């Protein structure tokens, strides 16, 4: 009898030891201090009430300039294991100045994915950044909706409305779920709500922020359909020339469905742009997936691969830091807006925030405000 109790107690300890950290991570709140540019914060369910109160609903930050102009939506956290996206969103919420037009920012598009790390991938639950006032901590997320929130998976995921058959795992991937539908999976409901927003608000530009492996050719780039091509080419050309970092343009395939850069362009009047920066923590060959690797992108095995010419990015012993990845995103977004506004003066935007060089010189942490010193109405918990 005693032995049974001991076995039960040990089992309970194992369950608690494994479960409590995951529970705490799921309830850990990231803090963002709304900068002077933020004019409103509301829920995405404003455009589709079907997601209200569910895990698919998420915060939208509005930054409206004093002058009327065009509209841009920035989506971060489509894949929550690509953290420079959400950090760019937080950075812009705190620092972006909008003089003309309106910018909407969604920091955690796939909120479910942001609440848990990648199971089995050996990723940490958190990573931290130095700031002038102390350490700022973020959750490390997963690529898709978590099984905890969207389950069971189908045997085959059938894309709506094209009917293309995809891997079962893509039923939880918000970048295979565009343009979405109101009665589909959560991943389809969140994209549906966003399509409703794009149409109702008459959004001109949609930016979808990502990171990709160093051994994958689609990185350091802007992925666009035909209609966005001239703007992306101009933006890529200017950031390479003026700001001296690698960037190129990739064409959105027409036969591969569900991607933001394909479906948003096909199903609305908006011009989509998917931005990739290099996150070497995503490469399979790295050493331990530590919080430091996520932040500095320094890895001995990726360096070996670089020496053998296997990478698609410039890489040396300095790695590829979060500062560089967020800096690149900031510069490319601003250059796309410049290119867009030149050709569409009546729907132009005037925005500004420190770019690549300034972010790399100061470190990203320099640009985040201390939530404990901020007006408490300006602090948002994500
Ligand atoms: Zn991605």
């Amino acid at each position: 009898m005693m032995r049974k109790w001991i076995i039960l107690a040990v089992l309970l300890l194992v369950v608690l030891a494994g479960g409590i950290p995951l529970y705490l991570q799921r309830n850990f709140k990231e803090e963002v201090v709304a900068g002077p540019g933020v004019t409103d914060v509301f829920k995405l369910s404003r455009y589709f009430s079907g997601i209200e109160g569910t895990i698919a609903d998420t915060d939208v930050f509005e930054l409206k300039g004093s002058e009327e102009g065009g509209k841009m939506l920035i989506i971060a956290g489509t894949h929550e294991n690509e953290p420079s996206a959400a950090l760019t969103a937080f950075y812009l919420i705190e620092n972006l100045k909008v003089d003309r037009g309106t910018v909407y920012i969604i920091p955690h598009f796939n909120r479910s994915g942001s609440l848990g790390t990648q199971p089995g991938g050996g990723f940490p639950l958190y990573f931290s950044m130095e700031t002038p006032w102390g350490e700022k901590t973020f959750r490390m997320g997963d690529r898709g909706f978590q099984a905890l929130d969207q389950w069971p998976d189908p045997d085959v995921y059938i894309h709506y409305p094209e009917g293309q058959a995809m891997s079962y795992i893509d039923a939880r991937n918000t970048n295979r779920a565009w343009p979405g539908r109101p009665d589909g999976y959560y991943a389809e409901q969140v994209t549906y709500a966003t399509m409703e927003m794009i149409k109702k608000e008459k959004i001109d530009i949609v930016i979808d922020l990502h990171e990709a492996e160093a051994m994958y050719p689609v990185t350091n780039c802007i992925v666009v359909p035909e209609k966005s091509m001239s703007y992306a080419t101009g933006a890529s050309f200017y950031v390479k020339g003026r700001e001296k970092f690698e960037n190129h343009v990739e064409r959105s395939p027409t036969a591969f469905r569900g991607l933001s850069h394909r479906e948003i362009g096909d199903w609305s009047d908006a011009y989509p742009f998917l931005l990739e920066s290099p996150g070497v923590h995503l490469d399979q060959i790295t050493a331990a997936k530590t919080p430091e690797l996520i932040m500095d992108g320094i890895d001995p095995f990726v360096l070996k691969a670089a020496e053998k010419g296997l990478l698609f990015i410039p890489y040396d012993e300095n790695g590829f830091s979060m500062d560089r990845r967020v800096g690149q995103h900031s510069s490319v977004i601003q250059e796309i807006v410049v290119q867009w506004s030149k050709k569409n003066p009546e729907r132009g935007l005037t925005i500004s925030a420190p770019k690549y060089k300034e972010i790399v010189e100061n470190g990203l942490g320099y640009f985040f405000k201390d939530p404990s010193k901020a007006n408490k109405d300006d602090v948002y918990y994500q």
Side-chain angles (χ1 to χ4, degrees):
M1 188 64 199
M2 189 61 191
R3 193 186 298 173
K4 276 186 189 163
W5 282 111
I6 292 170
I7 293 170
L8 205 64
V10 169
L11 272 177
L12 195 67
L13 275 173
V14 168
V15 168
L16 288 176
I20 287 173
L22 301 182
Y23 175 84
L24 292 176
Q25 188 206 14
R26 193 172 166 89
N27 290 284
F28 178 86
K29 301 285 182 228
E30 295 166 327
E31 295 167 311
V32 58
V33 182
V38 175
T39 44
D40 196 10
V41 183
F42 56 87
K43 291 281 181 196
L44 182 61
S45 55
R46 174 183 285 188
Y47 304 98
F48 170 48
S49 61
I51 57 169
E52 199 178 329
T54 74
I55 193 76
D57 207 359
T58 192
D59 284 348
V60 183
F61 291 75
E62 178 204 79
L63 292 79
K64 195 170 166 38
S66 52
E67 204 186 323
E68 286 289 321
K71 292 184 174 182
M72 170 164 69
L73 168 63
I74 300 173
I75 296 169
T78 290
H79 297 144
E80 295 279 1
N81 58 338
E82 301 167 10
S84 77
L87 264 55
T88 301
F90 292 150
Y91 163 77
L92 293 174
I93 288 165
E94 299 208 4
N95 297 279
L96 186 70
K97 205 163 154 279
V98 180
D99 290 318
R100 180 173 181 226
T102 306
V103 177
Y104 299 97
I105 303 174
I106 301 178
H108 284 310
F109 186 60
N110 166 14
R111 230 183 88 68
S112 164
S114 85
L115 300 175
T117 197
Q118 217 169 339
F123 280 93
L125 303 180
Y126 311 93
F127 62 96
S128 297
M129 175 188 302
E130 294 298 330
T131 74
W133 44 266
E135 221 166 52
K136 189 170 173 68
T137 300
F138 304 90
R139 296 185 303 268
M140 183 60 187
D142 196 0
R143 180 173 166 88
F145 263 73
Q146 293 186 77
L148 190 62
D149 298 313
Q150 184 181 304
W151 193 84
D153 296 324
D155 289 333
V156 176
Y157 165 55
I158 308 291
H159 175 260
Y160 176 84
E162 297 289 339
Q164 189 168 61
M166 296 189 201
S167 161
Y168 73 97
I169 200 75
D170 282 330
R172 290 196 254 131
N173 183 347
T174 43
N175 204 27
R176 297 295 180 275
W178 296 93
R181 54 181 159 174
D183 54 354
Y185 295 108
Y186 274 145
E188 293 175 294
Q189 292 186 28
V190 68
T191 52
Y192 174 80
T194 311
M195 285 304 299
E196 290 296 294
M197 175 186 184
I198 290 167
K199 287 185 253 184
K200 182 152 184 273
E201 299 293 350
K202 297 187 168 52
I203 306 272
D204 301 287
I205 301 169
V206 179
I207 307 270
D208 185 12
L209 296 171
H210 289 251
E211 289 186 314
E213 296 87 340
M215 295 180 77
Y216 181 57
V218 186
T219 189
N220 261 344
C221 67
I222 313 171
V223 190
V224 283
E226 198 55 50
K227 70 196 262 193
S228 308
M229 188 60 77
S230 64
Y231 306 109
T233 309
S236 172
F237 178 80
Y238 280 108
V239 295
K240 258 198 308 201
R242 287 191 195 131
E243 305 197 41
K244 313 287 181 221
F245 61 81
E246 267 316 303
N247 197 268
H248 70 279
V249 177
E250 291 274 344
R251 190 180 295 268
S252 170
T254 50
F256 189 4
R257 307 309 307 195
L259 296 144
S260 64
H261 50 77
R262 167 55 40 207
E263 309 294 351
I264 293 170
D266 286 1
W267 294 92
S268 78
D269 295 330
Y271 288 69
F273 301 83
L274 187 148
L275 276 48
E276 296 276 13
S277 70
V280 305
H281 63 280
L282 296 165
D283 280 278
Q284 297 291 333
I285 59 162
T286 65
K289 310 280 190 192
T290 60
E292 294 74 30
L293 174 63
I294 291 164
M295 281 303 295
D296 61 26
I298 296 175
D299 182 79
F301 298 103
V302 176
L303 187 60
K304 274 265 182 299
E307 287 160 11
K308 293 184 187 305
L310 296 171
L311 305 189
F312 292 90
I313 60 165
Y315 192 85
D316 59 23
E317 65 283 356
N318 297 314
F320 216 110
S321 69
M322 187 65 81
D323 300 346
R324 284 173 72 186
R325 281 130 70 194
V326 171
Q328 289 192 184
H329 277 333
S330 175
S331 285
V332 175
I333 292 169
Q334 293 186 64
E335 198 54 50
I336 287 171
V337 166
V338 168
Q339 297 298 320
W340 165 267
S341 303
K342 254 198 294 200
K343 288 186 188 140
N344 304 275
E346 72 295 344
R347 296 290 296 171
L349 294 100
T350 309
I351 64 169
S352 61
K355 295 183 183 175
Y356 178 76
K357 191 163 175 274
E358 216 178 319
I359 295 174
V360 171
E361 270 172 16
N362 292 287
L364 180 61
Y366 172 82
F367 297 97
F368 286 117
K369 292 171 198 78
D370 183 353
S372 71
K373 299 259 164 59
N375 181 343
K376 74 176 187 347
D377 295 338
D378 292 336
V379 182
Y380 290 86
Y381 299 93
Q382 295 294 298

